[in-house]
Amino acid sequence: MKIQFNPRALVAAILLFVVLVVLATVGARWGWVRSFLGDTLAVIWVYYVFKTVLRAPVLLLASLAFGVGALVESGQYLVAQMGWRVPNPVLRVVLGSTADWWDVAAYALGGLAVLVIELSGTSRHHAVPR
């Protein structure tokens, strides 16, 4: 793994961020689209944020992105167990407020989506004669 700027990953991260903001605001009443799809896209977004500044194997970055989601979910669980409450409404939307196994499934789906997207792109690059 080494530090290296990737402008294409930055563009992808910015576009995904815009979609996530729309889901978090306008999509507040869209049910599973906001929750499950939003969590899936969040892991993909974290992957592209990492890829913007890190050159590393896809599996490593996808695993780290999944790990960030799992860490957030663990934090939600601990907050609930301790009886704490996040007072900032923006942080409650960004970090979530309820731990749920479906969120972990969405994070895993996001990690798998990254692998499919990146590895299918790799095979296309290798299939084209240079």
Side-chain angles (χ1 to χ4, degrees), residues 50-107:
F50 286 158
K51 187 175 177 178
T52 297
V53 295
L54 295 174
R55 183 172 183 185
V58 173
L59 183 58
L60 176 61
L61 292 181
S63 298
L64 288 172
F66 170 79
V68 168
L71 189 63
V72 167
E73 204 64 25
S74 298
Q76 290 174 357
Y77 176 77
L78 289 174
V79 164
Q81 291 300 310
M82 301 293 226
W84 297 342
R85 186 175 173 279
V86 177
N88 185 307
V90 174
L91 279 179
R92 270 197 315 271
V93 169
V94 170
L95 297 177
S97 57
T98 307
D100 185 358
W101 283 107
W102 284 109
D103 293 347
V104 177
Y107 302 149

Side-chain angles (χ1 to χ4, degrees), residues 16 19-20 23-24 31-45 94 103 106-107 110:
L16 282 166
V19 171
L20 288 168
L23 281 176
W32 73 271
V33 172
R34 178 180 183 243
S35 59
F36 193 83
L37 184 61
D39 288 345
T40 301
L41 291 175
V43 167
I44 298 169
W45 174 72
V94 170
D103 293 347
Y107 302 149

Side-chain angles (χ1 to χ4, degrees), residues 3-4 7 24 27-28 46-47 51 63 66 72 85-86 94 105 108 110-111 116 118-119 124 127-128:
I3 295 175
Q4 180 178 353
V46 169
Y47 168 81
K51 187 175 177 178
S63 298
F66 170 79
V72 167
R85 186 175 173 279
V86 177
V94 170
V116 168
E118 292 287 0
L119 296 178
R124 275 184 286 161
V128 177

